[in-house]
Amino acid sequence: MNILTIGGGSWGTALTYLLDKKGHKCFLWEYNEEYRKQMKEKRENENFLKGFKLSETIEIVDDYDVVLNNNDIDIILLATPTQFLRNTLEKLKDSMNKRYILVNVAKGIEISTGLTISKICEDVLEGKEYDYVLLAGPTHAEEVVNNMPSVILSVSENIEAAKIVQQAFNNISLRVYTGTDVIGSELGGAIKNCLAICAGICDGLGYGDNTKAALLTRGMNEIVLIGTTLGANPITFMGLTGLGDMIVTCTSKHSRNRYLGEQIGKGRKMNDIVKEMKMVSEGATTIKALYEIIKEKQIRTPIFTALYELLYEDKDISNLTQTFMERELRSEF
């Protein structure tokens, strides 16, 4: 297949690397001109995926409009952070001259609208023909590109499109399942980034396994509550894009969301940490949109409410534990 990747971060680069090795014709576009030039010249993404040489068959392109007009592209792989996606789609829209499969691998909720990525696509690409597929699950780019056995989910309301993506991406070390609950999978992937910040705060404060286990369990309870309120199937949150994605993001050394929380737990300010991070912490932006949804729908979510207050209302981190442990006693469910 002919595949255009929009976004040259770690995940976009890793998937392009694997798709090329599988024999697909791959084009890769990165927003940052300096990074594009570096990848072209050195055939390596030194900023986000150092150590993996990109074959000469992968075309690093300066203009994806030219690619779409001069090549019969089958799949457009969207690997752009959520808060920048709308502008990318606005530019992409004019170049969409046939029916494509849009495969999104970003996870988040748009701050300005409260929309998940499938809904952003509906909003911007109205009138265009495409099939939306979410590719998500417990997969760190650093491990997938090293051929460590991993499992991911291809999710679409059009099951045939999900199966096409399943066949296109599946290889000996990356097993791809299919699913149909787009909203549940999007919410699971987006909100677990917020929970990962909380998990990192536990690590930064020096708490142990008991604390983190309790936090993740109660946090997942809140994710299910938010998801079902917004129309998701609760079973989805026990699958790869729910429980699976939550485990890997909340416990891994590769997780930038967990790292952000850990540094906050050690007493550092969020703005200082974010400035030194090359990659975006989706959880830090998603919590803004999530908090508005929680308020609007009046959902009882003490963990995510406290995270928002800590990050954006200057609540003292030293009071967090006391707040949770001294709340009114109640039944678990």
Side-chain angles (χ1 to χ4, degrees):
M1 302 184 80
N2 296 323
I3 301 173
L4 167 63
T5 301
I6 298 179
S10 59
W11 199 209
T13 304
L15 289 172
T16 303
Y17 177 87
L18 293 177
L19 290 165
D20 171 72
K21 282 192 170 298
K22 195 173 177 183
H24 299 295
K25 176 56 186 174
C26 296
F27 303 85
L28 175 60
W29 179 84
E30 159 58 30
Y31 171 81
N32 187 299
E33 186 176 351
E34 180 185 338
Y35 294 171
R36 281 204 313 271
K37 183 179 179 182
Q38 177 260 306
M39 283 192 282
K40 273 186 181 181
E41 293 176 352
K42 299 188 177 181
R43 306 306 301 177
E44 182 181 350
N45 190 336
E46 293 184 339
N47 294 286
F48 301 121
L49 204 67
K50 193 174 179 63
F52 293 91
K53 289 295 180 182
L54 302 174
S55 77
E56 294 295 334
T57 54
I58 298 174
E59 293 191 33
I60 313 297
V61 300
D62 294 317
D63 189 343
Y64 55 75
D65 180 62
V66 174
V67 174
L68 290 169
N69 285 327
N70 296 335
N71 299 271
D72 187 19
I73 297 296
D74 302 295
I75 290 175
I76 300 174
L77 179 60
L78 299 173
T80 302
T82 306
Q83 308 309 325
F84 302 101
L85 184 61
R86 182 174 290 272
N87 287 339
T88 300
L89 292 174
E90 292 283 4
K91 296 174 184 176
L92 178 66
K93 182 177 181 179
D94 293 335
S95 304
M96 293 176 65
N97 48 36
K98 52 170 272 190
R99 188 179 192 92
Y100 301 96
I101 295 178
L102 298 185
V103 178
N104 167 54
V105 295
K107 300 169 182 177
I109 302 172
E110 191 175 40
I111 295 172
S112 59
T113 64
L115 297 177
T116 58
I117 292 175
S118 62
K119 299 301 180 183
I120 298 171
C121 289
E122 287 180 19
D123 190 23
V124 177
L125 303 179
E126 185 179 3
K128 293 293 182 178
E129 292 189 354
Y130 68 92
D131 292 301
Y132 177 86
V133 179
L134 171 68
L135 193 66
T139 45
H140 282 305
E142 297 86 350
E143 295 184 5
V144 170
V145 80
N146 272 302
N147 296 314
M148 295 184 182
S150 305
V151 182
I152 201 167
L153 188 65
S154 171
V155 194
S156 180
E157 292 178 358
N158 181 345
I159 191 62
E160 294 307 315
K163 288 179 179 178
I164 291 171
V165 172
Q166 179 184 44
Q167 292 295 326
F169 284 78
N170 191 82
N171 64 34
I172 195 168
S173 60
L174 182 65
R175 179 174 174 82
V176 186
Y177 286 89
T178 60
T180 57
D181 183 10
V182 172
I183 185 64
S185 296
E186 286 188 316
L187 289 171
I191 304 173
K192 57 84 188 175
N193 284 330
C194 304
L195 188 58
I197 297 175
C198 299
I201 291 172
C202 277
D203 294 335
L205 289 170
Y207 292 151
D209 297 336
N210 293 356
T211 312
K212 186 178 280 189
L215 171 75
L216 299 189
T217 305
R218 296 306 302 163
M220 178 55 73
N221 185 66
E222 292 187 15
I223 291 174
V224 174
L225 187 57
I226 295 167
T228 52
T229 300
L230 297 178
N233 185 337
I235 295 176
T236 298
F237 300 107
M238 294 300 105
L240 292 168
T241 55
L243 181 62
D245 211 353
M246 183 269 281
I247 291 172
V248 78
T249 308
C250 291
T251 63
S252 173
K253 62 183 180 181
H254 299 305
S255 170
R256 52 190 179 270
N257 291 290
R258 193 209 61 81
Y259 171 80
L260 173 64
E262 182 180 26
Q263 295 303 304
I264 291 171
K266 290 179 178 179
R268 298 182 63 194
K269 295 296 183 183
M270 183 177 71
N271 289 339
D272 295 333
I273 307 163
V274 170
K275 284 178 184 176
E276 73 180 24
M277 293 172 66
K278 286 185 177 179
M279 292 185 284
V280 174
S281 169
E282 289 274 26
T285 51
T286 295
I287 191 63
K288 289 184 177 181
L290 183 63
Y291 184 66
E292 294 303 316
I293 292 170
I294 289 169
K295 285 198 303 181
E296 179 189 346
K297 302 292 185 181
Q298 296 184 324
I299 309 171
R300 187 176 180 280
T301 56
I303 292 174
F304 293 119
T305 298
L307 177 63
Y308 177 84
E309 292 174 347
L310 172 66
L311 296 184
Y312 296 107
E313 294 184 354
D314 293 324
K315 291 293 178 73
D316 192 335
I317 195 170
S318 63
N319 295 329
L320 276 182
T321 308
Q322 182 179 3
T323 299
F324 284 117
M325 299 304 290
E326 295 183 1
R327 289 169 59 238
E328 181 183 352
L329 295 177
R330 59 192 298 271
S331 168
E332 180 182 11
F333 298 109

